[in-house]
Amino acid sequence: TGTYTFNNLSLTSTAPTEVRYKRIQNDIIVNGNFSASNSGGDETIRLYVDIYENEINGGNNFSLASNVWLLTSGINSFENTVAGFSGSKTFDVNSTVRFNRTVNGSNQNIPGSGLTYGNIEIYGSNDKIPQDNLDVNGDFSAVGQVPVLTDNSHQIQVAGDWNMNFNTTDLTGNCV
C-alpha cells in the first residue's frame, strides 16, 4: 500500500510472444516522463496497463505507444492522470484507452481537452461522459456490457470506425 515515486517510468514489453499485463495497484508519482511501449507486439499480442481506480500523477510527458491498451476504471482517475502531466501527451494511432468502470449508477469521465487519442473503448453498464471535445485518430467502440456514451453536448471527431449503436449512445452534440 502507499504511493510510489519514480523519476521516470517506462513500462515496456519487448519482443512479446503473448499478451502481457502491467497492473498498477496504487497511486504513482512520476517526476519526469511516463511511457508504455510494446515493441514487437501487434493487434493480438498486446500490452495491457491497468491502472484500475489509481492515478499516475506526473511531471512532464505522457506517452502510449502502438499496441498498448491502458485500462482505467476510476470515475476521474484517467482525467486526473493526464491533467497531472505538463508536457506532451501522445497516443499512437494503434494505442487504446479503455474506460471500463463497471459500478452500476457510477458514471465515468472521459477527458478531452488537448488530447488526441489513438482509439477509445468503453466498457461497463454505466454512462461514459466526455468532459470536452474528443479527437480520436482511430476507432471509438463499445466493447462489453452496455455502456452509454453521453456526449454532454461536446463534439466527437473519429477518424476510424464508429463501433457504437443506439443502445450505447445518448448524443446531443456532433459526431464527425
Side-chain angles (χ1 to χ4, degrees):
T1 64
T3 300
Y4 298 91
T5 302
F6 298 89
N7 287 325
N8 293 296
L9 180 60
S10 180
L11 303 176
T12 59
S13 181
T14 55
T17 57
E18 61 187 13
V19 170
R20 299 282 186 213
Y21 287 87
K22 309 283 185 186
R23 294 175 175 92
I24 296 175
Q25 311 242 351
N26 293 77
D27 288 345
I28 291 178
I29 297 170
V30 178
N31 293 321
N33 302 320
F34 172 84
S35 65
S37 64
N38 188 21
S39 59
D42 60 29
E43 177 67 25
T44 59
I45 301 177
R46 304 170 176 173
L47 170 61
Y48 288 99
V49 177
D50 195 340
I51 66 172
Y52 299 96
E53 295 188 16
N54 301 302
E55 297 175 9
I56 304 169
N57 296 299
N60 196 18
N61 300 318
F62 180 94
S63 174
L64 295 182
S66 182
N67 302 307
V68 173
W69 266 249
L70 186 133
L71 313 177
T72 178
S73 57
I75 293 171
N76 296 310
S77 60
F78 188 66
E79 183 176 26
N80 293 339
T81 290
V82 293
F85 285 85
S86 62
S88 66
K89 297 153 186 106
T90 57
F91 301 84
D92 185 273
V93 70
N94 293 314
S95 69
T96 300
V97 178
R98 179 182 295 167
F99 296 89
N100 66 343
R101 186 161 186 83
T102 58
V103 178
N104 289 335
S106 179
N107 300 332
Q108 186 173 24
N109 294 331
I110 302 175
S113 181
L115 302 177
T116 301
Y117 290 92
N119 300 282
I120 291 179
E121 294 180 347
I122 60 174
Y123 177 92
S125 54
N126 50 1
D127 289 356
K128 310 299 180 183
I129 304 171
Q131 299 303 297
D132 205 332
N133 295 337
L134 296 179
D135 187 6
V136 183
N137 279 336
D139 301 337
F140 198 115
S141 307
V143 296
Q145 297 184 5
V146 187
V148 176
L149 176 66
T150 303
D151 70 359
N152 212 17
S153 297
H154 293 301
Q155 179 175 321
I156 301 172
Q157 184 168 331
V158 178
D161 293 330
W162 178 255
N163 300 311
M164 304 290 288
N165 61 48
F166 291 119
N167 294 330
T168 59
T169 55
D170 180 14
L171 304 177
T172 56
N174 296 319
C175 286
V176 238

